[in-house]
Amino acid sequence: MKVCVLYYDKQSSNVCKILASSFASGIQAQGSDCDIIDMGKEAGKIISFYEYIALIAPPATLWGGKIPEQVERFLKQCGTISGKRSAAFISKGSIRSTKTLQALFKLMEGQGMYLTYSDILSNKEIASASGKRIKIS
């Protein structure tokens, strides 16, 4: 199965990149092909041909509840993703992490994505374990 792991990092951080790599290694341990895409650097890339999409985003503010607008911009320009099975993850780093995860849910479901899994990732070990545990097929 072809899986796409999307991530976005703020300019001064690479936390989501590390989490995306760990998550992808967990998925590859299941035997699926996995590509990692930086939403900040590869804006406009078409991801319609992937069968499963995982998205890892940081909170936009310390107080949480908001996702960076680059994530929304990427999802609007990435091709047809309506009906795709997907997973939503946020990196730990805000006071109201569940509120931030809900904002990511709304954004992804607004694009027509079908969410099958979600989690708050605090370190790369949890990201790898989530990648191994998630049901892709």
Side-chain angles (χ1 to χ4, degrees):
M1 184 168 258
K2 198 77 172 148
V3 179
C4 174
V5 178
L6 302 171
Y7 76 93
Y8 175 77
D9 265 323
K10 297 177 184 174
Q11 293 175 349
S12 62
S13 174
N14 65 350
V15 172
C16 289
K17 182 178 183 178
I18 294 167
L19 294 175
S21 297
S22 297
F23 183 77
S25 68
I27 290 174
Q28 290 168 343
Q30 292 185 24
S32 296
D33 291 331
C34 188
D35 293 334
I36 302 171
I37 298 173
D38 183 352
M39 292 184 281
K41 294 180 181 170
E42 299 186 48
K45 183 168 178 119
I46 303 299
I47 60 169
S48 299
F49 59 92
Y50 290 102
E51 297 168 283
Y52 197 92
I53 300 169
L55 196 149
I56 302 172
T61 64
L62 175 66
W63 296 105
K66 293 185 180 179
I67 298 295
E69 56 189 55
Q70 289 87 345
V71 174
E72 183 177 3
R73 208 174 308 136
F74 181 89
L75 290 178
K76 287 182 178 179
Q77 299 173 355
C78 67
T80 305
I81 55 173
S82 181
K84 297 280 183 182
R85 293 181 25 195
S86 60
F89 300 97
I90 61 159
S91 61
K92 186 102 172 141
S94 68
I95 294 173
R96 299 183 310 174
S97 297
T98 54
K99 183 109 171 130
T100 307
L101 191 57
Q102 285 178 335
L104 186 58
F105 287 166
K106 284 178 125 178
L107 177 63
M108 292 173 74
E109 288 175 345
Q111 295 297 318
M113 299 172 84
Y114 175 67
L115 289 167
T116 61
Y117 191 81
S118 66
D119 204 355
I120 299 169
L121 304 175
S122 56
N123 58 40
K124 63 183 183 178
E125 289 80 20
I126 291 174
S128 179
S130 292
K132 291 176 185 174
R133 183 175 45 238
I134 196 168
K135 300 284 185 201
I136 300 289
S137 57

